[in-house]
Amino acid sequence: MARIVQKFGGTSVGDIERIRNAALRVKREVDAGNEVAVIVSAMANVTNQLVEYVHEFGALYDQKEYDAVVSSGEQVTSGLMALALQELGIPARSWLSWQIPIHTDDAHGKARIEIIETAEAKKSLATGEVMVVAGFQGIGPDNRVTTLGRGGSDTSAVALAAALEAERCDIFTDVDGVYTCDPRIIAKARKLDKVTYEEMLEMASLGSKVLQPRSVEMAMKYGVRVQVRSTFDEANGTLIVDEDEVLEKEVISGIAYSRDEAKITLVRVADKPGVAADIFGPLSEANINVDMIVQNVSEDGAATDLTFTVTKGDLARAVAVLEERRDDLGYARLVPDPDVVKISIIGVGMRSHAGVAQQMFSALAKEGINIQVISTSEIKVSVLVAEKHTEKALSALHTAYGLDVS
Ligand code: ADP
Ligand code: ASP
Ligand code: MG
């Protein structure tokens, strides 16, 4: 007998029929004699709708009430899933985050799980009852409901699997695993049987939204065995594993993209010590994360151009912060550009291979795609290009690195 965590995403619980279908997947584990905790997302699109309702109240809404509203989708599906299981003759009970409880910090809208109390959960599982847990939500220090950021049910599932020392955490979704690139954009994308925690963390952080980055971080930290698989067929999914479990290492395992980037160029900033600190200090104080940065060499030693990226959602605020300080910073012009995409190649094999980045640059050059900003780390290279080139760039890179299915 083992303890298993199964998570079902929005499409997998998109209507009553699908909830019944997902319940059959749970039944199989129960019939095999396992203790099962199920995490559910809200029904497909429900969270988007709830977010839109909140946005009706303007941009400066109360974050605690945002969480009260957007966490509600998961309450509905947890109850419905418990009913679907009961219909199959399986004892099941829904659990909201405060009932377990799942404690988080107070960062409403993007809270982090701090500790999960497991005494009640373990007692319940030991009776043979299936726990159906509302994903995405937690309970903050002041006992108010919090949410974990979009896609956060993945993190609820992995965190619960870690806390319960579960043998497996299966993430059921609408694709049958992690692919070399988003299969909805690249038809020739290939399913990976295994991917390392590190690569998956980069892919997720760089835009592959099949898993929330925080869930991968947590799986890596606690050694949770995560498998991404389809709710709709029986195919084996993708296992996320330690690096030594991957025998044949590809140089590039995946290509990710993020449209959630916006570029800001400050034209003719003074080229002298302290300027970067003067620009990025106020942005960081305003809680705006800066991602890629490039500073051009100044021709006359007096002024230079500085380009960097922020998320699309932060663009307006970043522009406001910089314009407010225009006199102190003394730049000639500020040019915002939301029409950009960040494309990244990821692979642990990069550590031991030279020329990987060069291959990326020439594949893009061959397509006539101009690279605006570059950033690298040990296992990834990212470039910023015009958003209209997204599909063409992904497809060219996928072919260039030999990732296309034959
Ligand atoms: P769920 O609602 O089940 O959590 P998500 O929409 O959050 O599902 O995540 C699944 C989606 O992630 C897929 O439909 C796919 O379009 C997208 N995706 C992006 N990159 C990848 C990738 N490399 N491999 C698989 N899916 C990916
Ligand atoms: N329902 C939430 C969202 O849409 C959480 C999740 O699906 O993981 O972001
Ligand atoms: Mg998701």
Side-chain angles (χ1 to χ4, degrees):
M1 190 186 79
R3 196 177 283 156
I4 311 285
V5 170
Q6 296 183 301
K7 179 252 168 178
F8 294 94
T11 319
S12 309
V13 293
D15 57 33
I16 299 297
E17 188 143 340
R18 288 187 171 179
I19 292 174
R20 284 194 168 116
N21 171 57
L24 289 172
R25 306 293 298 234
V26 178
K27 182 174 190 297
R28 230 179 292 167
E29 295 295 350
V30 174
D31 289 347
N34 294 320
E35 289 183 357
V36 190
V38 177
I39 310 283
V40 285
S41 290
M43 288 166 142
N45 276 322
V46 164
T47 310
N48 289 343
Q49 176 70 68
L50 295 169
V51 170
E52 275 172 31
Y53 288 149
V54 174
H55 286 170
E56 294 282 328
F57 292 88
L60 298 173
Y61 50 79
D62 181 320
Q63 302 267 359
K64 293 186 184 183
E65 300 312 331
Y66 168 94
D67 280 348
V69 175
V70 303
S71 63
S72 64
E74 273 73 7
Q75 171 162 353
V76 173
T77 36
S78 62
L80 292 174
M81 176 63 86
L83 290 172
L85 288 164
Q86 290 170 4
E87 190 177 65
L88 294 171
I90 298 167
R93 188 59 67 207
S94 63
W95 293 71
L96 299 178
S97 56
W98 62 269
Q99 290 168 313
I100 293 186
I102 298 176
H103 296 285
T104 71
D105 62 16
D106 63 357
H108 284 275
K110 48 174 187 290
R112 286 169 77 93
I113 295 178
E114 289 182 336
I115 194 162
I116 301 183
E117 292 181 40
T118 55
E120 289 304 311
K122 283 180 176 163
K123 227 189 285 171
S124 161
L125 289 170
T127 66
E129 194 170 80
V130 171
M131 295 180 71
V132 187
V133 180
F136 186 46
Q137 53 172 257
I139 174 101
D142 59 357
N143 273 348
R144 301 219 65 95
V145 67
T146 54
T147 60
L148 310 178
R150 298 305 307 270
S153 297
D154 297 328
T155 302
S156 310
V158 174
L160 194 64
L164 292 172
E165 293 153 335
E167 191 175 280
R168 263 183 15 237
C169 179
D170 286 348
I171 306 283
F172 287 93
T173 182
D174 55 3
V175 279
D176 59 1
V178 178
Y179 279 69
T180 47
C181 192
D182 187 343
R184 291 192 200 290
I185 298 228
I186 298 298
K188 288 180 175 170
R190 185 155 46 84
K191 189 172 89 184
L192 300 164
D193 294 330
K194 290 179 179 172
V195 63
T196 68
Y197 288 113
E198 231 182 314
E199 287 168 324
M200 192 65 238
L201 182 57
E202 287 285 7
M203 283 173 73
S205 308
L206 294 166
S208 305
K209 68 178 193 84
V210 59
L211 286 176
Q212 196 193 38
R214 179 92 182 104
S215 72
V216 187
E217 211 175 277
M218 206 170 262
M220 187 155 127
K221 182 165 170 196
Y222 296 103
V224 178
R225 272 193 100 69
V226 175
Q227 187 178 179
V228 178
R229 54 191 312 186
S230 166
T231 318
F232 306 107
D233 68 41
E234 300 299 318
N236 280 331
T238 301
L239 256 182
I240 308 181
V241 297
D242 282 321
E243 203 169 325
D244 53 16
E245 285 182 65
V246 180
L247 298 177
E248 279 179 59
K249 290 194 184 70
E250 308 269 359
V251 179
I252 297 301
S253 298
I255 303 178
Y257 68 97
S258 169
R259 296 187 205 265
D260 189 24
E261 298 275 327
K263 185 180 71 166
I264 295 177
T265 301
L266 293 175
V267 181
R268 292 197 66 78
V269 187
D271 192 14
K272 59 174 196 210
V275 168
D278 288 346
I279 291 168
F280 296 120
L283 290 175
S284 133
E285 274 159 32
N287 253 326
I288 296 169
N289 278 336
V290 172
D291 180 17
M292 307 169 97
I293 302 177
V294 61
Q295 180 172 344
N296 303 327
V297 178
S298 73
E299 273 177 24
D300 52 7
T304 176
D305 295 351
L306 183 74
T307 298
F308 57 91
T309 63
V310 297
T311 63
K312 276 201 170 79
D314 280 344
L315 179 62
R317 278 198 306 133
V319 168
V321 166
L322 294 169
E323 277 179 348
E324 210 172 285
R325 287 168 181 73
R326 180 164 189 162
D327 291 343
D328 299 338
L329 297 171
Y331 54 83
R333 259 182 318 130
L334 185 159
V335 187
D337 179 5
D339 299 322
V340 290
V341 61
K342 179 170 70 176
I343 295 192
S344 310
I345 53 169
I346 298 120
V348 286
M350 228 182 262
R351 289 198 195 108
S352 48
H353 281 77
V356 178
Q358 175 49 33
Q359 210 177 337
M360 178 181 206
F361 306 149
S362 40
L364 295 173
K366 222 184 277 172
E367 298 294 327
I369 298 171
N370 184 41
I371 299 172
Q372 304 180 7
V373 187
I374 301 171
S375 76
T376 65
S377 76
E378 206 188 10
I379 66 162
K380 69 115 194 242
V381 182
S382 302
V383 295
L384 195 74
V385 302
E387 189 173 9
K388 64 177 184 216
H389 296 315
T390 309
E391 280 84 5
K392 193 161 70 162
L394 290 173
S395 166
L397 293 171
H398 204 264
T399 305
Y401 289 105
L403 298 175
D404 293 351
V405 274
S406 33

